[in-house]
Amino acid sequence: MSTDADAVPVAVAPAKRPPINKYAFACALLASMNSVLLGYDISVMSGAQLFMKEDLKITDTQIEILAGIISIYSLLGSLMAGLTSDWLGRRYTMVLAAAIFFTGALLMGLAPNYAFLMAGRFVAGIGVGYALMIAPVYTAEVAPTSSRGFLTTFPEVFNNFGILLGYVSNFAFARLPVHLSWRAMFLVGAVPPVFLGFAVLAMPESPRWLVMRGRIEDARRVLLRTSDSPEEAEERLLDIKKVVGIPADATDADDVVAIVRANETARGQGVWKELLINPSRPVRRMLVAGLGLMFIQQATGVDCVVMYSPRVFEKAGMKNRTNSLGASMAVGACKTFFIPIATLLLDRVGRRPLLLASGGGMAIFLFTLATSLLMLDRRPESEAKALGAVSIVAMLSFVASFASGLGPVAWVYCSEIYPLRLRAQAAAIGTGLNRLMGGATTMSFLSLSEAITIAGSFYLYACVAAAGWVFMYFFLPETMGQSLEDTGKLFGKDMDDGDTDDGGVVHHERKRSTELITQQ
């Protein structure tokens, strides 16, 4: 028989919301700027491909592969970032991401042929994977509970700002000679990483990573600056120590010994085993929720709309290349301007309401877009203008629905739900799946459209969005108001039960740490 103690706790927002911590805000801002790189690279390809095809004499299939392959490459980058972030730290991983993307942008802009261009896409993809994985993890670990949702949306905000910049670059360089236009679009992308790499060095390291490395006093100093009060800082530190396995009554010197030695046996293969081979029931539920959300976010075809928007606008009746590139900027503007809705509401109404409203809107607008494009092929030319307008409005509405919910909230949610010991690797797996699906959709869009028409493709994405809404309704608990150390309770874990704590990890590490301290 269940009791009140067994019940899953209900997330409750703070009764009186404290002002945003300015230091945490600045850290989240700098970290999230790395996401500009991903957005820029996705959208700039939408216009560059038109000139690249003409200049390099390549086929639609080659364009399709080139456009989507960066998502596959970024999968490798995100998996590597999970290891690097635990080894070098969250901060230096972001510097590495900027350096890699800078190199990739130069290679793409100076590419003399298709093979060299593909090599540049590979390097840039590794950098994108790094940036995509590490920014939300760092932000979630620095942010205080009261504003974690707000601050963790920043990576998606800057991702969408990067998309807008990519479209602006397309439009700005479209009038250059064909052999220069697409090169200029890529080379401009090498500028932001230079500034970002240096800016990140001014940030502190994640307090959770510092604790994992045994640097307790350094972690305390960061927490004092990023928490709403000294009391909250101490509480956050105790929570982190508890999850890692440090006894609460141990001295700082003992803490250092315990954490370093406990983690020596805890890192490496044990983490992957706990995640993929023998996960506990709570960890398995976390993986289902996190990976399912990452799958849905990309399987609804949002990257196809971003990357092939000029072609969709052309299908809707906008034949002039310059006009279609100009209209594509509306897609970037729509994504950028609707993101603040999720940013402002995340810590007020919660994650679930935004996800469900967004998913429902996406399904409706995708169905409307598909229907209007289908009717364009079957109605006389006199009715084409009105149907074209409906198509454009539906596409922009789909983008707005995505940007105001599923786009940013998915990253926030997945950065919150995993326990500290598994967080970097679990986030890397989720990011890898996200990029794999992004690559699969963008690399198959032109071929899929040839086989079942563009309208048929969007009908398929509409069905995925509808199925995703059902999944989110039944599998995603609310995480608003929970500390990062307590979100595990939402998946059936009782923090007071040593057998189930983080799948048994905390109990094991706490016991191991106590033994080590005793030996000292």
Side-chain angles (χ1 to χ4, degrees), residues 23 47 68 72 78 107 114 166-167 184 217 228 231 233 251 275 282 354 371 381 431 433 436 486 492 510-511:
Y23 189 73
I72 306 299
S78 66
L107 290 175
Y114 183 79
Y167 284 133
E217 282 304 314
D228 294 326
E231 293 76 20
T251 65
L275 273 175
L354 288 175
T371 302
E381 190 173 341
T431 304
L433 176 62
L436 178 64
D486 285 342
R510 186 182 298 120
K511 179 179 178 182

Side-chain angles (χ1 to χ4, degrees), residues 244-302:
V244 174
I246 299 295
D249 56 350
T251 65
D252 284 346
D254 288 333
D255 285 347
V256 173
V257 173
I259 188 63
V260 172
R261 295 193 179 183
N263 275 344
E264 284 178 356
T265 58
R267 291 193 192 102
Q269 294 181 353
V271 173
W272 294 106
K273 181 179 179 181
E274 290 158 23
L275 273 175
L276 302 177
I277 299 176
N278 189 31
S280 65
R281 189 169 68 91
V283 170
R284 188 162 52 247
R285 290 184 61 191
M286 293 173 192
L287 286 172
V288 169
L291 298 183
L293 200 52
M294 287 289 101
F295 175 87
I296 294 164
Q297 191 199 57
Q298 287 301 316
T300 50
V302 66

Side-chain angles (χ1 to χ4, degrees), residues 308-317 369 373 395 445 454 458:
Y308 298 108
S309 57
R311 297 195 182 220
V312 179
F313 282 128
E314 182 181 346
K315 177 68 176 175
L369 174 60
L373 290 175
M395 186 166 77
F445 181 75
I454 290 182
F458 285 117

Side-chain angles (χ1 to χ4, degrees), residues 119-175:
R121 294 293 274 179
F122 172 77
V123 176
I126 298 296
V128 164
Y130 265 83
L132 192 64
M133 177 267 168
I134 196 60
V137 168
Y138 175 88
T139 305
E141 292 183 347
V142 168
T145 301
S146 63
S147 57
R148 189 179 66 239
F150 171 69
L151 296 180
T152 314
T153 60
F154 282 15
E156 188 67 12
V157 171
F158 282 98
N159 178 23
N160 285 281
F161 182 65
I163 288 174
L164 179 59
L165 289 179
Y167 284 133
V168 171
S169 176
N170 288 158
F171 188 75
F173 297 116
R175 293 172 178 79

